[in-house]
Amino acid sequence: MLEQFKNQKYINLETFRKSGVGVKTPVWFVQEQDVFYVWTQADSWKAKRIRNNSGVKVVPSTASGEPLGEWVDANATTDESSEALKVTTRLMRKKYGVAFQGFRMMGKLNKAEYTSIKLEFSE
């Protein structure tokens, strides 16, 4: 099930509005064992939707969100703690390098607050 995500740069993350309508967003992700992490602004709509409904779907994708595999159900949680952000930042820096550092720098200039989205999968 998770083998399809190996060596992928992007996932398409589908979160759900209160009405049940799905919203698909291509994002960078990192994997540690069977858990995925996404780094995003704490006030982003995807983070807000996850706080209201932790059920999400993910699929490996292109940067534009074109699916490259099969959709998989996951449970998502947000965590703004310094420890969670430290782990996600370390993994993102390792995988995406200078590009990730550029996004972090832009966020610091805008005084953005961040959250780590943790995606867990049931067998």
Side-chain angles (χ1 to χ4, degrees):
M1 166 178 73
L2 297 183
E3 186 65 28
Q4 67 178 335
F5 296 94
K6 189 175 182 175
N7 300 320
Q8 297 294 325
K9 281 188 155 184
Y10 300 92
I11 56 173
N12 196 330
L13 172 65
E14 185 174 20
T15 55
F16 297 91
R17 294 182 177 148
K18 289 179 182 177
S19 66
V21 173
V23 179
K24 297 173 181 164
T25 310
V27 294
W28 282 347
F29 77 105
V30 289
Q31 182 175 353
E32 191 168 65
Q33 282 125 26
D34 290 344
V35 177
F36 292 178
Y37 297 94
V38 173
W39 181 84
T40 192
Q41 286 189 225
D43 62 353
S44 68
W45 285 107
K46 65 184 155 291
K48 290 176 183 180
R49 287 189 294 271
I50 286 168
R51 289 184 195 106
N52 288 321
N53 179 354
S54 64
V56 300
K57 293 183 177 191
V58 296
V59 65
S61 74
T62 64
S64 63
E66 186 69 31
L68 299 173
E70 299 296 319
W71 287 91
V72 178
D73 292 326
N75 186 61
T77 53
T78 61
D79 188 346
E80 289 88 24
S81 72
S82 61
E83 187 56 38
L85 290 171
K86 192 180 298 181
V87 168
T88 304
T89 298
R90 175 180 52 80
L91 294 169
M92 286 283 190
R93 187 180 296 137
K94 182 177 177 183
K95 183 172 181 178
Y96 297 102
V98 174
F100 177 69
Q101 290 299 94
F103 279 108
R104 283 192 68 214
M105 189 61 74
M106 288 187 327
K108 285 182 181 182
L109 292 172
N110 293 324
K111 295 183 171 57
E113 302 275 329
Y114 289 96
T115 188
S116 175
I117 297 173
K118 183 178 183 180
L119 301 169
E120 297 178 284
F121 303 88
S122 55
E123 292 295 320

